[in-house]
Amino acid sequence: MERLTAMQYWDKKQKRAQRTQQKEKALDQTVLEIIQCVRNEGDQAIRSFTEKFDGVSIEAFMVTEEEFNEARKSVSPSFIKAVKTAAENITQFHEKQLEQSWLDMSKAGTMVGQKVTPLDRVAIYVPGGKAAYPSTVLMNVIPAKIAGVNHIYLTTPPQADGKINPYVLVAAKEVGVETIYKIGGAQSIAAFAYGTETIPKVQKITGPGNAYVASAKKWVYGDVAIDMIAGPSEICIVADETANVNFIAADLLSQAEHDEEAQAICITTSIKQAEAVELAVQEQTKRLARKVIIQKSLDQHGQIIVADTMDDAFAIVNDIAPEHLQLMIAEPIEKLGAVKHAGAIFLGNYSPEALGDYVAGPNHTLPTNGTAAFASPLGVYDFMKKSSVIYYDKSSLLAVANTIIELANTEQLTAHAQSVQIRKEE
Amino acid sequence: MERLTAMQYWDKKQKRAQRTQQKEKALDQTVLEIIQCVRNEGDQAIRSFTEKFDGVSIEAFMVTEEEFNEARKSVSPSFIKAVKTAAENITQFHEKQLEQSWLDMSKAGTMVGQKVTPLDRVAIYVPGGKAAYPSTVLMNVIPAKIAGVNHIYLTTPPQADGKINPYVLVAAKEVGVETIYKIGGAQSIAAFAYGTETIPKVQKITGPGNAYVASAKKWVYGDVAIDMIAGPSEICIVADETANVNFIAADLLSQAEHDEEAQAICITTSIKQAEAVELAVQEQTKRLARKVIIQKSLDQHGQIIVADTMDDAFAIVNDIAPEHLQLMIAEPIEKLGAVKHAGAIFLGNYSPEALGDYVAGPNHTLPTNGTAAFASPLGVYDFMKKSSVIYYDKSSLLAVANTIIELANTEQLTAHAQSVQIRKEE
């Protein structure tokens, strides 16, 4: 990890190129061709891309009830119990996000408001590969369910044996997903964005994926909604002398294990603590299974920043706009007001990032790479949309008729003006 | 206008290619080059693109106080009064959208919640060209103001004389915009997305624009937030025998005048009414200034659909997911529940689209081209974002420790498991 003072942080920032999204033309072109191929050739294109990229030939895309049952037998009861506990907390939190329609009738003769309705059909992408991500299933499906989405389709790439990871299947069944497809990559994003003979066109696609999936989501954005373009993941821990150094190290490492691009940052007001954290990070890394990834992440992106004051520390936090922010300081709740930009804020010594990743209730799908300055965690609001409602009676319209006509004529939209004029003259 | 039965509508839909966004590679490449040029060369690039595209050489990008004052003198008092009336209603409506932070403390020893904060810096694009769009200024600036955005920058292309449209300037001043830039096109989107020597990098860019602006917004999306990719605009009027045929025609025409791609659709349960609407549309078109555009729009995209029942009519409405929906029927409010997808819903004979475009209060920036099935009108929520808040005390964490460890290990994220294990063993 690199050690910096606050001043060095700001100085370095000036010189550093922003970690913006890669405009990888070659990848983007490949993905666009995959998308166009799926639009033109439908299921047949999906089958050949699945053979090419996943190395498996599949006839039926949909997971059968039999496969569900088989998966259920292969997982432990303690896993199922853990999924149930997590699902319960996630449900309880997200139910509080449900918005209501409202109507303002404060002016007689008029009514304006906002009608809130769920999306009809959404697709949730769950990454495949070696690892299983049942928590991704819970964090995407539960808010969609609470929103009232009628059709929730889950899609995930098949393994080499043509099956789906059993943990993903069991988690999906546990939260009531009816339909799961064995398709991955850009081809699955294209299929759900435009529909094929057997794949339904949806209104929104959410969930994380590799570079192909991210590029495909960006291409189809506008024709369907997407959740976000996820970038590298990061943690920022603000610590004072009350923080447990071993906890700080463990939490930094939990972030660094994600991948080599992940970033772990600790901001402290004490040089002594900075030194202790560095030592603890070194010690703990040795014992971890993913130490090779962790070491690369720390070498490339790890930072320990020593700030003179807490104010300096929070200025840096708000500049970083971290995905995960842990406040391991004496009065963390009192400092909530100082945080302007963060995906999720973890308070105190006993609220590690891993708590929020799995079980606390809030969503673990968070804006990454500084986008917390303008984006929100995934939520029920991502699966609902609003319609404005406008009612004016005759006299209420006539009272504002001249205002409308004035503005419409200014904009040279004379048929707009006429549509009001005709009602005046009636 | 084309006359269809409900059955013909569905049949035609099967055969018709969806009006999806144009993946115009050539335009997209040009725009990407403009963006990269602005990122590399900053202000100098902006100046040369402004010279190339707007035909004017500008030194200072910012509008001066003097230019404001000059603009103020050139507009009529009735325009200023109209802007004030509209701004007041828009403010009143949007204030109701303001969300509050919340904390759930129902389980002792834990606290989870959602902190809502405004964006810091946003840019609002206002189209230039021959026409002025002061209503665009109001509809974008007011929600940003109410959200509490600190820095609102407005940008609009300069006229050939190097000045800005006075109506836009006066409207901007009226709603408290401090800083206006004379930059348009893809170069302005790039400038605000990445910043230059004199243009501040923002967190979100909103507002409508031409094909270059739309493509640039799509390229920078992810590095900054954008409001939406606007497509062609549409109106759908559901009418029964209580509707005034002349009003229907006038409202269809107000939509058709936008541009040749705009779509005007009327759905009625009466053939007699369909015929009367067609006649009224023909009659009224003759008298309108923009009749050439209107005629092309109607010829290409205009439809009158005769449905057997109101249920059939609403099935078509929800399939279209229109930007503007007018319910000119006997009991429009009672039918609100039947509408699943629409940008804005106008109720009764005296709530024409133009009312909502300017003065009713709800936003006129609406999801177009069927995207109302998954997107919302622009609102205060577009200028705010959420952070999750998580606090667990020691015993609360220990109570869920095994759940976290089980799930983290399933996902092979062993450093996540370790970050909780270390707290168990303390």
Side-chain angles (χ1 to χ4, degrees):
Chain A
M1 295 179 89
E2 182 185 24
R3 177 107 62 91
L4 296 169
T5 63
M7 205 181 289
Q8 283 167 333
Y9 168 84
W10 292 107
D11 190 44
K12 196 176 169 184
K13 179 188 153 75
Q14 294 305 318
K15 292 170 189 151
R16 184 192 54 176
Q18 193 200 5
R19 287 223 283 177
T20 56
Q21 49 177 323
Q22 299 296 317
K23 306 267 186 303
E24 293 179 35
K25 282 195 208 177
L27 173 65
D28 281 346
Q29 276 310 313
T30 308
V31 168
L32 184 55
E33 279 154 30
I34 294 173
I35 291 171
Q36 283 165 341
C37 203
V38 171
R39 290 186 75 168
N40 293 333
E41 295 162 35
D43 289 348
Q44 198 40 54
I46 298 174
R47 284 197 187 89
S48 48
F49 287 124
T50 303
E51 205 155 334
K52 186 173 169 187
F53 295 121
D54 303 304
V56 54
S57 159
I58 44 171
E59 203 43 51
F61 299 133
M62 242 193 262
V63 172
T64 63
E65 199 58 34
E66 212 169 46
E67 288 175 281
F68 265 128
N69 294 337
E70 197 183 310
R72 178 103 191 175
K73 278 178 214 152
S74 76
V75 306
S76 67
S78 64
F79 170 75
I80 294 175
K81 192 173 159 236
V83 166
K84 281 188 197 290
T85 303
E88 201 176 295
N89 285 357
I90 297 166
T91 301
Q92 208 168 324
F93 179 84
H94 285 80
E95 276 172 349
K96 297 217 182 308
Q97 293 180 331
L98 205 51
E99 272 181 86
Q100 301 302 318
S101 301
W102 53 266
L103 287 173
D104 175 7
M105 294 162 280
S106 57
K107 289 181 200 166
T110 79
M111 186 164 79
V112 288
Q114 194 168 277
K115 180 172 193 268
V116 188
T117 35
L119 308 195
D120 262 343
R121 297 180 303 281
V122 302
I124 289 164
Y125 190 91
V126 179
K130 281 181 203 162
Y133 296 104
S135 66
T136 302
V137 175
L138 306 187
M139 292 294 183
N140 281 269
V141 173
I142 292 172
K145 278 269 170 195
I146 291 171
V149 175
N150 261 324
H151 302 284
I152 301 173
Y153 307 108
L154 200 139
T155 195
T156 184
Q159 300 166 169
D161 60 1
K163 293 184 179 172
I164 299 287
N165 183 293
Y167 297 102
V168 166
L169 275 192
V170 169
K173 198 71 172 177
E174 198 58 50
V175 292
V177 176
E178 303 280 333
T179 325
I180 303 191
Y181 292 87
K182 301 182 203 181
I183 322 173
Q187 60 273 20
S188 71
I189 303 301
F192 285 100
Y194 302 105
T196 70
E197 305 94 297
T198 62
I199 310 291
K201 175 177 163 49
V202 299
Q203 293 151 343
K204 186 162 191 166
I205 303 174
T206 72
N210 63 15
Y212 285 82
V213 170
S215 170
K217 280 169 73 179
K218 185 155 175 163
W219 275 117
V220 302
Y221 165 69
D223 289 338
V224 291
I226 64 170
D227 50 349
M228 62 178 75
I229 309 282
S233 186
E234 72 271 345
I235 193 172
C236 176
I237 300 178
V238 177
D240 66 15
E241 65 286 349
T242 66
N244 180 314
V245 167
N246 286 322
F247 296 177
I248 297 175
D251 299 347
L252 292 171
L253 293 168
S254 77
Q255 186 58 35
E257 80 169 334
H258 273 295
D259 61 75
E260 295 161 13
E261 289 306 312
Q263 183 168 34
I265 303 170
C266 175
I267 309 177
T268 168
T269 46
S270 145
I271 295 189
K272 219 175 114 191
Q273 191 177 51
E275 284 163 355
V277 168
E278 282 163 351
L279 206 67
V281 163
Q282 278 175 29
E283 275 306 307
Q284 291 184 28
T285 302
K286 291 180 201 157
R287 297 195 301 269
L288 290 168
R290 295 164 75 90
K291 54 179 166 255
V292 178
I293 293 172
I294 289 170
Q295 200 57 57
K296 280 201 186 147
S297 156
L298 294 177
D299 289 349
Q300 286 183 66
H301 306 295
Q303 290 184 329
I304 296 191
I305 301 167
V306 182
D308 287 340
T309 66
M310 267 299 148
D311 283 354
D312 290 349
F314 278 97
I316 294 173
V317 164
N318 287 324
D319 183 63
I320 295 171
E323 183 189 8
H324 306 93
L325 173 65
Q326 289 187 198
L327 301 184
M328 297 172 77
I329 55 179
E331 297 189 313
I333 301 172
E334 287 76 353
K335 280 289 184 187
L336 261 179
V339 180
K340 283 161 71 179
H341 311 304
I345 310 166
F346 299 80
L347 305 170
N349 264 316
Y350 295 93
S351 308
E353 183 194 315
L355 168 67
D357 283 343
Y358 293 111
V359 80
N363 213 285
H364 77 190
T365 312
L366 299 170
T368 59
N369 198 22
T371 60
F374 55 76
S376 301
L378 191 73
V380 172
Y381 39 79
D382 281 295
F383 298 101
M384 307 196 81
K385 29 78 185 181
K386 302 168 177 97
S387 303
S388 302
V389 176
I390 298 172
Y391 166 77
Y392 268 52
D393 67 10
K394 186 173 178 181
S395 66
S396 302
L397 178 70
L398 296 188
V400 293
N402 288 344
T403 302
I404 301 171
I405 291 167
E406 172 86 34
L407 291 170
N409 283 332
T410 302
E411 299 192 351
Q412 297 173 29
L413 294 172
T414 46
H416 282 62
Q418 179 57 23
S419 73
V420 173
Q421 189 65 38
I422 202 172
R423 286 165 164 98
K424 266 182 81 173
E425 286 165 6
E426 188 203 8
Chain B
M1 293 181 88
E2 181 186 26
R3 175 107 62 92
L4 297 169
T5 64
M7 206 182 287
Q8 284 166 331
Y9 169 85
W10 292 107
D11 191 44
K12 196 177 168 183
K13 179 189 152 75
Q14 293 305 317
K15 291 170 190 153
R16 182 193 57 173
Q18 192 200 5
R19 287 223 283 176
T20 57
Q21 49 177 324
Q22 300 296 317
K23 305 265 187 305
E24 292 179 35
K25 280 195 212 177
L27 173 65
D28 280 347
Q29 277 310 311
T30 308
V31 168
L32 183 55
E33 279 155 29
I34 294 172
I35 292 171
Q36 283 165 342
C37 204
V38 171
R39 290 186 74 169
N40 294 332
E41 294 162 34
D43 289 347
Q44 199 38 56
I46 299 174
R47 285 200 185 86
S48 48
F49 287 124
T50 302
E51 205 155 335
K52 185 172 171 188
F53 295 122
D54 302 306
V56 55
S57 161
I58 44 170
E59 203 42 50
F61 300 132
M62 244 193 260
V63 172
T64 63
E65 199 58 33
E66 211 170 48
E67 288 175 281
F68 266 129
N69 294 338
E70 198 183 310
R72 179 101 191 178
K73 278 177 215 150
S74 76
V75 308
S76 68
S78 64
F79 169 75
I80 293 174
K81 192 173 159 236
V83 166
K84 281 186 198 289
T85 303
E88 200 175 298
N89 286 357
I90 297 165
T91 300
Q92 209 167 325
F93 179 84
H94 285 81
E95 276 172 348
K96 296 216 182 314
Q97 292 180 332
L98 205 51
E99 273 182 85
Q100 301 303 317
S101 301
W102 54 265
L103 287 173
D104 175 7
M105 294 164 280
S106 58
K107 289 181 199 165
T110 78
M111 187 164 80
V112 289
Q114 195 167 276
K115 181 175 192 268
V116 188
T117 35
L119 307 195
D120 263 343
R121 298 179 303 280
V122 302
I124 289 164
Y125 190 91
V126 178
K130 280 181 207 164
Y133 296 104
S135 66
T136 302
V137 175
L138 306 187
M139 293 295 184
N140 281 268
V141 172
I142 292 172
K145 278 268 172 198
I146 292 171
V149 175
N150 260 324
H151 302 284
I152 301 173
Y153 308 107
L154 201 140
T155 194
T156 185
Q159 299 166 171
D161 61 0
K163 292 183 180 175
I164 299 288
N165 183 293
Y167 297 101
V168 166
L169 274 192
V170 169
K173 198 73 173 176
E174 199 56 53
V175 291
V177 177
E178 303 280 333
T179 325
I180 303 191
Y181 291 88
K182 301 182 202 180
I183 322 173
Q187 59 274 21
S188 71
I189 304 301
F192 285 100
Y194 302 105
T196 70
E197 306 93 299
T198 63
I199 310 292
K201 173 179 166 46
V202 299
Q203 292 151 344
K204 186 162 190 166
I205 303 173
T206 71
N210 64 15
Y212 285 83
V213 170
S215 170
K217 280 169 74 177
K218 186 156 172 163
W219 275 117
V220 303
Y221 164 70
D223 289 338
V224 289
I226 64 170
D227 50 347
M228 62 179 73
I229 308 283
S233 186
E234 71 270 345
I235 193 171
C236 175
I237 300 178
V238 177
D240 67 15
E241 65 287 350
T242 65
N244 180 313
V245 166
N246 287 322
F247 296 177
I248 297 175
D251 299 346
L252 292 171
L253 293 168
S254 76
Q255 185 57 35
E257 80 169 333
H258 274 294
D259 60 75
E260 294 161 13
E261 289 306 313
Q263 183 168 33
I265 303 169
C266 175
I267 310 177
T268 167
T269 46
S270 146
I271 293 188
K272 220 174 114 192
Q273 190 177 50
E275 284 164 354
V277 168
E278 282 163 351
L279 207 65
V281 163
Q282 278 173 30
E283 275 307 308
Q284 291 184 28
T285 301
K286 291 178 202 157
R287 297 194 301 270
L288 289 167
R290 295 163 75 90
K291 55 179 165 255
V292 178
I293 293 173
I294 289 170
Q295 200 56 57
K296 282 201 183 146
S297 156
L298 294 176
D299 290 347
Q300 287 183 64
H301 306 294
Q303 291 184 328
I304 296 191
I305 301 167
V306 183
D308 288 340
T309 66
M310 268 298 150
D311 283 352
D312 290 348
F314 279 97
I316 293 172
V317 165
N318 287 324
D319 183 63
I320 295 171
E323 184 189 7
H324 306 94
L325 173 65
Q326 288 187 199
L327 301 184
M328 298 173 76
I329 55 180
E331 298 188 313
I333 301 172
E334 288 77 352
K335 280 289 185 188
L336 261 178
V339 180
K340 282 161 71 178
H341 311 303
I345 310 165
F346 298 81
L347 304 170
N349 265 316
Y350 294 93
S351 309
E353 182 192 317
L355 169 66
D357 284 343
Y358 293 110
V359 81
N363 212 285
H364 77 190
T365 312
L366 299 170
T368 59
N369 196 23
T371 60
F374 56 76
S376 302
L378 191 73
V380 173
Y381 38 80
D382 281 295
F383 297 101
M384 307 196 81
K385 31 77 188 180
K386 301 168 179 96
S387 303
S388 302
V389 177
I390 298 172
Y391 166 75
Y392 268 53
D393 67 10
K394 186 172 177 179
S395 66
S396 302
L397 178 69
L398 296 188
V400 293
N402 288 344
T403 302
I404 301 172
I405 292 168
E406 172 88 35
L407 291 169
N409 282 331
T410 302
E411 299 191 350
Q412 298 173 30
L413 294 172
T414 46
H416 283 61
Q418 180 57 25
S419 74
V420 174
Q421 188 66 39
I422 203 172
R423 286 164 164 98
K424 265 182 80 174
E425 286 166 6
E426 187 202 8

